[in-house]
Amino acid sequence: MIGGAPSGEPALSVREWLGLGLLAIAFGLALFFNGLHIPLLSAAGVLLVGVLVLALGPGIRDGWRVPRSPSAAWLVVWWAFLAISLAWSSVVFTSSLYYWWLSALPLTFFALVLAPSPANWTRAALAGFAWAAAGLASWALVQFFVLTETYGFRAHHPLLNPNNLAGLLSLALLPLVAWYLRVRDRAHLYLALAGSLLVLAGVVATQSRGALIGLGVGLVVILVAARGAPGLNRRRLAVMAVGGLAIFLGMDWWSGAELGQRVETLGAVGAQSSFQTRLLIWESTLEMALERPWLGYGLGTFFLYYPRFRQPADTSGGYYAHMDPLQFWAELGIVGPVLFYAVLIAILVQTVRAVRRLPVGSRERLGILGPFAGMLAVAVHTHITFHLYILPTLIGLGAVLAAWQLRCERALGKERMRVALPERAHPRVWRWILAGVVALVILNLGSAGVADRFVQKGRGAVDEGEVQTALRYFHYARALTPASDTAWALGAEIRGAALSRDLGLDPRQRRALYREAHRMLDRARRRNPARAGLDHLRARLYLAAPDAAEVEVRRRAEAAWRAALAKDSRHMEARMGLANLYLSQERPQAARAVLEAGLKWPYPGPRPLGLYLRTAALRDRLGDHAGALALARSALGRIPAGGEQARQALLARYPALEGAPEEGEDGDGAP
């Protein structure tokens, strides 16, 4: 198989198959983690820790054979630095979640290379990853050919976007290509060719130009460094080239030449809107990094602080910097990208040394270069996207890195270092210690996942007016994750809802609730000073203040909403709340200024519909009828499918819109 030839190691035991099964389940769960569903992250993290424990367990009695590898050593340094960085993070709870998130790579790698039979574990894991890639590629082709109305001609499900899916497939594609070039027997040759072409078709279905660049770099490395290998002949290369070209031309014809047009734009990247957006993101992220160049804001806090630096022309979601080393700098300080490149350089140096040890034309060179080229393709591509924040890609990288490590060890002839516990240490004691560590990890990650569900349920209960139910969920969430700001924010939200509803509370009870809500918001703010939603909650709480002068209430609410917008100019609720406050004070010009300031920011889908309509109404009220009509036209284009009632109401209010072009045909109408 693509992991290499049989190693002579004993067959895998039931416990070892269990470990590999847990790894497969973790990878499957990771595919559907989009950065928001914390329970999926928690489950995948717990499973990966379980895999590592099952791999390390036998070593308690017999010791472990640790690779003498600079690459593995630098990976340990990187992993330790991520843990140490939690000490200066401004949002510790979020950073701790991201620590386990990014730990997927070292957890997978060390579980495979430190297992009792590392070659068997790694071969099985790599084969499983290849089959998973084939399945994902098949699903990508279904999206491309069958589900075009949903996905267009750019497959991406189940990952966040087409580039992420392309990166994951690229990681598997080049090892498959190397296997095709080195395999001898005919059955495996056909299987390798079919797998390579299938995964290549999956990459093409994403239309990811960055993936094509990364694949091109990786393929050149294979062809140059493995020259002379028996399988690297004209016949096999021609079959692969013709098959790949046929796939591209066929899919290009099906898409109406869309693929070809997209590839042509590689020669004019400066004119591409996506590239221009990336330049804006990088410029803003650099400004963010330079504000705290030495320690950064904290691991995983990019999405919290980036809104302060965002530029109006930036149409991205704002969750990632689209250049992982730059995001590492903003989050971790300058040591972050330095260690990232140290790991890459160590892998490169070890690859060069291992390949040079093998004779020119050796098939074993392809065994090293295939995994190396896959990792190189991802490393190149991650400079214009965010592969190292994608959970399944990190797990896949761990498996591919382990396969590369074992191949390099064989080529270099390096004996592993045996590490064992002190002779007087009783194995049972150490097993209990290991079990305790696992229990702590499960408690940490598991509680985060469960608490997230309780917070979501609590917010739903608040929306439905079920205060007592929401309060019960709040107590559960606070007990599980006292370091999280979301649980404390939920507590304040519940008390604010109780104040705004007629629950028969006497003045003393209302004052007590009001003070409690502010104390909870203070606790939430200490845990997460960057979240604009906390200031929005505080503004709403001020408006519900009992026994307070109306002027003072409005002054405090205005200050809180302005604080929220200073942290995130696209916080729609805060902007609308501040505008409503000005309107209640008969200050329509001030309300219009607040709303107009929000028009320069891009918003996804129908989200700005309310902003457009409210601003249009104010323009109309203040005599700007042409401006009102322009914004109403933009709102008309934002109404989602099924919103016929809203469409008719808008047309009734602005009859001149009847038959007018919608947004996308003549712009958004914003000034």
Side-chain angles (χ1 to χ4, degrees), residues 331-566:
E331 293 183 349
L332 300 168
I334 192 62
V335 178
V338 168
L339 289 180
F340 166 74
Y341 286 115
V343 173
L344 294 188
I345 292 170
I347 293 173
L348 174 62
V349 171
Q350 186 167 320
T351 301
V352 172
R353 288 177 177 173
V355 169
R356 284 181 174 177
R357 283 290 187 92
L358 298 169
V360 175
S362 170
R363 293 179 185 269
E364 295 303 311
R365 284 193 171 192
L366 287 166
I368 296 171
L369 292 171
F372 172 77
M375 293 186 292
L376 178 61
V378 172
V380 170
H381 194 189
T382 209
H383 283 77
I384 55 174
T385 187
F386 46 95
H387 289 318
L388 299 184
Y389 286 87
I390 300 300
L391 192 55
T393 303
L394 291 170
I395 297 174
L397 278 169
V400 174
L401 184 63
W404 167 86
Q405 171 63 32
L406 296 182
R407 283 289 179 177
C408 286
E409 285 180 17
R410 183 182 302 181
L412 294 170
K414 279 191 174 183
E415 292 292 330
R416 289 193 170 194
M417 176 176 58
R418 185 176 180 276
V419 176
L421 297 173
E423 293 183 2
R424 294 183 179 180
H426 196 288
R428 185 175 297 173
V429 174
W430 286 99
R431 288 194 184 100
W432 279 109
I433 292 174
L434 187 60
V437 172
V438 174
L440 288 175
V441 172
I442 293 175
L443 184 62
N444 178 266
L445 280 173
S447 62
V450 174
D452 181 75
R453 292 298 300 158
F454 284 144
V455 169
Q456 299 304 321
K457 287 179 176 292
R459 286 175 176 163
V462 171
D463 293 338
E464 294 173 6
E466 299 175 1
V467 175
Q468 290 301 323
T469 302
L471 197 61
R472 185 171 68 252
Y473 286 129
F474 157 69
H475 287 305
Y476 294 155
R478 184 190 61 179
L480 288 169
T481 54
S484 170
D485 66 292
T486 55
W488 293 104
L490 173 61
E493 189 174 349
I494 293 169
R495 284 152 179 82
L499 287 171
S500 63
R501 293 183 173 94
D502 184 12
L503 300 179
L505 301 174
D506 61 44
R508 182 181 58 81
Q509 291 174 318
R510 292 178 62 82
R511 287 193 295 270
L513 280 178
Y514 182 75
R515 288 194 297 268
E516 284 180 13
H518 276 294
R519 283 197 295 268
M520 289 180 176
L521 282 177
D522 291 339
R523 290 175 179 175
R525 189 180 184 282
R526 286 196 295 271
R527 288 157 175 77
N528 188 347
R531 197 181 296 279
L534 299 178
D535 296 289
H536 170 62
L537 278 176
R538 196 180 293 276
R540 291 172 54 192
L541 186 61
Y542 282 139
L543 293 180
D547 305 329
E550 186 175 353
V551 174
E552 184 65 16
V553 163
R554 291 180 173 179
R555 184 186 65 79
R556 291 178 177 178
E558 179 182 358
W561 269 318
R562 287 200 172 278
L565 292 175

Side-chain angles (χ1 to χ4, degrees), residues 125-145:
L126 194 62
F129 178 55
W131 282 108
L136 289 170
S138 300
W139 174 232
L141 293 177
V142 171
Q143 296 172 55
F144 185 89
F145 287 106

Side-chain angles (χ1 to χ4, degrees), residues 11 36 139 157 242 255 265 297 346 426 466 517 525-526 557 577 596 644:
L36 299 176
W139 174 232
H157 188 269
V242 170
S255 67
T265 61
Y297 285 89
H426 196 288
E466 299 175 1
R525 189 180 184 282
R526 286 196 295 271
E596 295 277 3
E644 189 59 31

Side-chain angles (χ1 to χ4, degrees), residues 306-326:
Y306 181 72
R308 283 177 44 198
F309 304 91
R310 185 187 191 108
Q311 299 182 49
D314 177 2
T315 58
S316 72
Y319 294 103
Y320 302 98
H322 289 264
M323 181 188 289
D324 285 340
L326 185 57

